[in-house]
Amino acid sequence: MYALEWTVDYGHPLQFGAFITPAASDAQTPVALSQLAEAAGLDLVTFQDHPYQPAFLDTWTLMSYVAAQTESVRIAPNVLNLPLRPPAVVARSAASLDLLSGGRFDLGIGSGGFWDAIEAMGGRRLTPGQAVTALEEAIDLMRELWDTTERRGVFTDGRFHAVHGAKRGPRPAHEIPVWIGAYKPRMLALTGRKGDGWLPSLPYLQPGDLARGNAAIDEAATSVDRDPREIRRLLNVGGPDGDTRAWIEQLARYAVEDGISTFIAMGDDPRVIQVFGQEVAPAVREIVARERASRGVDAGPVRSAIALSQRVPGIAYDDVPEGLFAIEPGDFAFADVRSTYLRGGSPGIVLQPDSPQQVAEALAFARRHPDVPLSVRSGGHGISGRSTNDGGIVIDLRRLDDIEVLDEERRLVRLGPGARWMQVAAALGEHGWALSSGDYGGVGVGGLATAGGIGWLAREHGLTIDHVRGVEIVLADGSIVRADADHHPDLFWAARGAGANIGIVTSFDVEVDEVGDVGWAQLAFDASDTAAFLTGWGALVEAAPRDLTAFLILSGPRAGQPPIALMLAVVDSPDPDTIIERLQPFAELAPLVQQSVQVTSYARIMANADIGPQNGSGEPHARSALIDHITPEVAEAAAQLIASGASYFFQIRSVGGAVADVAEDATAYAHRSANFSVVAFGRSAERIDEAWSALAAHARGMYLSFESSLRPERIEEAFPPATLSRLRAIKAEVDPDGVFRDNFPVAPAA
Ligand SMILES: Cc1cc2nc3c(=O)[nH]c(=O)nc-3n(C[C@H](O)[C@H](O)[C@H](O)COP(=O)(O)OP(=O)(O)OC[C@H]3O[C@@H](n4cnc5c(N)ncnc54)[C@H](O)[C@@H]3O)c2cc1C
């Protein structure tokens, strides 16, 4: 065994790539070589960029084409010729390709060379010093444009690159690393200050240049408080001079002695690409792994000094259980997970377990931080918004999103809490089944199925929780239990209506219904006489057969418009005559200003949401109540509330029917006899409370899922006395310390 002198290790996992000529003469060859590289197990394919070279394909076009023809290999220019490409345009191209390829784009960039050719293409000849400044301005500008966490446009008045109010975005799929092709001191210093990687080519280096370059980069990095390990060291290398073994030893030497962690083999020989991926890469990896193990070097992502500075004091970040995925404020992905649909948040850490065991580990981590807020999140659509927090821990269950049929005959299905209801509807639709959940496909299974679930088929099939036959729960002490009619019946009772009070539900077994095509109606009325309209509407809903479930939305006054009431209704029948028969009485209630009725599927009705990142801001203010009948008094109070303008969104949903078939004490959701659920959203807590009070006098109860108030009395309104005392006894048993305290917590019984 040859001796390796270990001098430097920046701790990055090793990568191997190919440097493929973008030859235009046989345009499909670079594409085929890229596919070969992917098949050979290489991590990366890269292409030189010489826009003045007619023998070459345009690099952006080629990279886009290759991305579409490959599945997993990363793609990068090696290196992009900046003087001929305006950085604001490069930023958009890079982000677009990154999004289209599923986060597979990395950016190698250079300050230019071949100045005659650049000038010939209309570029400007720059001195070496100017070229470095231009590159630095370009990097800053691109990163600004990729940063969509800021709303305002980008303004820079650089010497070489200026934009005035450029719009940000698109946001790339991952934090695109910027690798700089650098040789001279000023470029090396820039790499240390701003680069994510150093990408020289071996043929242009003299002996000792790698060590000198590393030292220059490290010094520049340290001078701006960066950790030198933040900068990956890449190297374009020639093919094997002699035998493969010698090549392996040579590369291992560069890895171990010069800290190189990405090797990119130049040349278009398919045989070399294959050998590089299948023989050289595994062998070099093995040697380096052995060396690292013997020196106790931890290879893994390096958190930048800036990211570390954003950590929240009081959270033991280094104690996050191994293997548990965590996102911190300094991470690129943080912007996508910090907030919920309705509320802006700034947690200190978001943990994303992918198994019940990991949920237990996440909970144990949270328990070691008793003074830090804890939120539990499934789909992030909680109306209280308390599945995020400021400075605390979030256990985010989005990875637990399986939908699995357990028993075809019984229509028994297991749902992960992180699945969204539109995904559930689509999966069940394939079997001709449906489960009534809510009206919005983006809502998560976990929050809704622990609280109630007032959905489009409620009058016919009941609440979502009425279909739950068993749950798996992680309790505050970390134990994972199954609760159903025969096991932990108390927990099973509580899991259907008590929200997050009892534990974290990691799966729901639900028995779903056979549902074919349904009628879907959207009727907009002139509700100028709002109170009379509401009374009439309520009476018609109550009189309608159970196959009709209807929701009504009323908005505050708008200048020059009569008050509009929008009725959305499902009639569970594929028969147009039946659908029209059910709707006709409503159509006669008030002048119709718009109407649409169609036969469609439940899954298509639920496919109404974007389930991408959530960008809620501020605090939501919502008030909920349950109402037996829309009496003239209720209607008058509701009309006044709407007319006051205090609520920008007021909704009445029909419940009753099958919901009321279930006994009040059968689940922790107890408001079975109510025929309607009402919710009002306001912009200010004070105004909505004031406007709500008249209506509240005629209502009772509260549905956890539609309320945001922090007033403790609301708990007593959510749970009638007998329900609350049973719940408090259970809480005392399973969560006496109040680990689950963030969203409508009940006090444990004394
Ligand atoms: C646009 C919109 C439409 C809606 N429509 C309806 C509707 O038609 N019918 C209806 O009934 N509701 C509806 N809701 C309310 C919805 O049911 C609740 O907001 C529900 O809590 C959202 O679930 P989630 O998992 O997306 O929420 P999250 O914000 O992830 O969670 C909300 C709360 O639920 C608890 N929780 C979440 N996951 C779990 C878990 N796995 N175990 C234990 N507790 C957990 C936590 O307390 C958390 O704070 C709607 C909400 C929105 C925003």
Side-chain angles (χ1 to χ4, degrees), residues 712-730:
E713 327 66 282
R714 292 304 273 153
I715 300 278
E716 281 156 34
E717 285 159 325
F719 305 107
T723 308
L724 186 56
S725 81
R726 185 172 175 190
L727 206 48
R728 289 187 57 197
I730 298 172

Side-chain angles (χ1 to χ4, degrees), residues 265 413 567:
V413 182
M567 168 173 160

Side-chain angles (χ1 to χ4, degrees), residues 45-134:
V45 288
T46 69
F47 308 93
Q48 54 190 300
D49 180 39
H50 298 288
Y52 34 76
Q53 176 54 275
F56 286 175
L57 295 164
D58 168 63
T59 303
W60 272 115
T61 312
L62 175 62
M63 290 190 299
S64 306
Y65 194 89
V66 165
Q69 300 285 324
T70 53
E71 280 172 10
S72 56
V73 76
R74 311 195 64 74
I75 296 156
N78 188 352
V79 288
L80 200 77
N81 185 309
L82 196 69
L84 285 173
R85 301 190 183 274
V89 178
V90 170
R92 299 236 200 284
S93 306
S96 303
L97 185 50
D98 197 49
L99 285 167
L100 287 166
S101 65
R104 290 194 280 137
F105 180 75
D106 300 330
L107 181 58
I109 199 161
S111 64
F114 305 99
W115 288 103
D116 289 343
I118 289 172
E119 268 193 311
M121 289 287 282
R124 186 172 148 200
R125 181 181 285 272
L126 300 176
T127 64
Q130 288 173 330
V132 176
T133 308

Side-chain angles (χ1 to χ4, degrees), residues 340-342 375-388 397 417 420-421 437-440 442-455 464 499-501 503-506 508 551 614 651 653 681 703 705-706 742-743:
T340 65
Y341 185 70
L342 287 172
S375 298
V376 176
R377 181 188 303 168
S378 286
H381 276 63
I383 298 240
S384 73
R386 296 202 273 275
S387 59
T388 191
L397 305 164
R420 309 298 187 88
W421 287 108
S437 52
D439 62 358
Y440 193 61
V443 168
V445 165
L448 181 137
T450 46
I454 300 176
T464 310
N501 265 296
I504 301 179
V505 178
T506 49
F508 300 81
F551 297 176
Q614 295 165 356
Q651 189 177 40
R653 290 156 195 255
F681 281 83
Y703 172 38
S705 270
F706 286 161
D742 236 40
N743 202 24

Side-chain angles (χ1 to χ4, degrees), residues 671-704:
H671 305 291
R672 297 289 177 172
S673 63
N675 278 303
F676 300 97
S677 155
V678 187
V679 61
F681 281 83
R683 292 193 206 289
S684 102
E686 294 72 35
R687 273 198 79 196
I688 194 69
D689 273 339
E690 198 186 318
W692 181 250
S693 56
L695 180 65
H698 303 285
R700 66 186 165 82
M702 174 272 254
Y703 172 38
L704 284 191

